[in-house]
């Protein structure tokens, strides 16, 4: 029997892989970093060419979600240019992510099953490598890195997000035909979160276990709350927690010093912020080092948005995600809503200590949801 290569699947693998690299390897190998950066640029041009090509045949229409995505990243671009006068290190965040979003939009609508299958394989490869041949002890020995903060997938804090996405994809693709792969993906995602030894990953795993054990009781509440309202509530809760941490000086995972500096900078430019990668945070525990350059990462979604684009970008972000979730709610079945609600809340919890929109995992989750009517034709079983 002659085996035929599916060219579209090969193309999709080629353009998606550089958006989900093993960032830890890129940290210690300049060659790998340059290679993956070049691969990403090629992928962006190929996606642009694809979108132009399919638009000629009316396969890809500019709908409300596409307009929202374009408007959001265009605003981020304009704010950064206006405030900084250049893109600088923010080029990838402003240019690469919207192309990934538009690609996910296109394929979720047209070929959702293929998209889920390929995404699941890419995430499975990453978490499997992180759990086995490049588990943290082996990775540190090979790389020569002395810090415990970096593993093969990147910073250990990213384990909570890739783990969440892996668990979601594993559940969505669980069926008799690929049950072994789904279980492997779920198990490796959980192990990745555990061996990261981070508070947020542990907290998320406990949260997921509680949501599974008490799913019947919790679903009665969550299924009656709109996803868009849920996200807004979690964002407000995020702000309240920041205020609480600052007021009572709660220094969890060294966040207090970071939040203090971030808020002081935000108050100086509350409307437009500093643009993407426009300012470095140097917390008190780094000031002893005269050569410290700081970092552009607020370790909180709300604070990061305010730094990158002020209130303008924060409001635009809320409107974008509200629009996406609102469109999903119109067609989502109750048995799917509980699963997606739990994952949305979990990402929102992660957003308290990390900036989830700085990673592609949260964006991928959102665009998996957009055309859930199409995706429901896949082998998605009830979360029970």
């Amino acid at each position: 029997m002659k085996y035929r290569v599916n060219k579209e699947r090969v193309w999709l693998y080629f353009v998606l892989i550089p958006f989900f690299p093993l960032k830890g390897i890129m940290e210690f190998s300049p060659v790998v970093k340059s290679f993956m950066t070049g691969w990403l640029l090629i992928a962006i041009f190929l996606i642009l060419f694809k979108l132009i090509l399919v638009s000629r045949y009316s396969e890809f229409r500019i709908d409300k979600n596409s307009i929202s995505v374009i408007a959001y990243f265009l605003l981020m671009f304009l704010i950064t240019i206006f405030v900084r006068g250049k893109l600088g290190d923010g080029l990838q965040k402003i240019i690469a992510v919207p192309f990934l979003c538009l690609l996910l939009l296109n394929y979720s609508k047209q070929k959702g099953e293929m998209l889920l299958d390929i995404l699941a394989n890419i995430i499975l490869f990453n978490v499997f490598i992180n759990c086995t041949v490049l588990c943290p002890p082996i990775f540190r020995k090979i790389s020569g890195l002395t810090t415990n903060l970096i593993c093969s997938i990147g910073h250990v804090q990213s384990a909570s997000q890739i783990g969440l996405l892996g668990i979601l994809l594993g559940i969505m693709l669980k069926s008799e035909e690929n049950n072994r792969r789904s279980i492997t993906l779920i198990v490796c995602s959980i192990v990745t979160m555990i061996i990261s030894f981070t508070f947020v990953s542990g907290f998320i795993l406990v949260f997921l276990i509680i949501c599974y054990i008490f799913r019947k009781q919790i679903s009665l509440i969550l299924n009656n709350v709109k996803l868009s309202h849920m996200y807004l509530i979690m964002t407000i809760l995020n702000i309240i927690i920041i205020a609480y941490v600052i007021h009572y000086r709660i220094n969890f995972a060294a966040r207090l010093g970071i939040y203090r500096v971030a808020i002081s900078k935000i108050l100086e430019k509350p409307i437009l912020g500093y643009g993407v990668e426009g300012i470095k945070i140097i917390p008190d525990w780094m000031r002893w080092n005269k050569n410290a350059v700081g970092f552009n990462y607020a370790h909180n979604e709300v604070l990061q948005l305010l730094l990158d684009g002020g209130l303008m970008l924060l409001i635009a972000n809320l409107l974008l995600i509200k629009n996406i979730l609102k469109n999903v709610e119109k067609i989502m079945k109750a048995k799917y809503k509980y699963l997606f609600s739990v994952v949305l809340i979990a990402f929102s919890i992660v957003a308290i200590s990390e900036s989830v929109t700085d990673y592609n995992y949260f964006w991928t989750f959102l665009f998996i949801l957009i055309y859930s009517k199409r995706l429901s034709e896949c082998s998605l079983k009830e979360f029970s």
Side-chain angles (χ1 to χ4, degrees), residues 248-260:
Y248 290 99
R249 299 180 180 180
I250 302 173
N251 190 23
F252 74 98
R255 296 295 191 267
L256 178 59
I258 298 172
Y259 289 176
R260 279 179 170 174

Side-chain angles (χ1 to χ4, degrees), residues 303-358:
L303 295 181
Q304 190 66 49
L305 289 169
L306 289 171
L307 284 175
D308 288 347
L311 289 171
M312 292 274 292
L313 191 63
L314 174 61
I315 293 171
N317 177 271
L318 291 174
L319 291 175
L320 167 63
I321 296 177
K322 178 188 175 183
N323 181 60
I324 293 171
L325 297 176
K326 185 178 179 181
N327 290 338
V328 169
E329 286 166 348
K330 296 177 182 178
I331 55 178
M332 185 177 292
K333 295 179 181 179
K335 65 179 182 179
Y336 303 147
K337 186 178 179 182
Y338 182 62
L339 171 61
F340 296 139
S341 296
V342 168
V343 177
L344 176 63
I345 293 174
F347 268 113
S348 299
I349 293 172
V350 175
I352 296 171
S353 63
E354 301 298 327
S355 175
V356 293
T357 53
D358 271 21

Side-chain angles (χ1 to χ4, degrees), residues 10 13 15 42 48 55 58 82 94 96 121 175 179 199-200 219 238 255 269 281-282 295 301 309 314 383:
V10 173
Y13 270 113
V15 297
I42 294 172
L48 176 61
S55 64
S58 301
F82 180 78
I94 298 173
N121 286 337
S175 67
N179 190 51
F199 173 80
V200 66
S219 64
N238 190 329
R255 296 295 191 267
K269 292 186 177 183
I281 296 174
I282 304 178
F295 47 82
E301 177 65 16
L314 174 61
F383 187 49

Side-chain angles (χ1 to χ4, degrees), residues 6 23 33 93 115 120 161 204 232 261 356 369 383:
N6 187 321
K23 289 188 175 182
K33 186 174 183 178
K93 184 174 180 178
L115 176 65
Q161 296 184 56
I204 292 301
L232 180 60
V261 176
V356 293
L369 293 183
F383 187 49

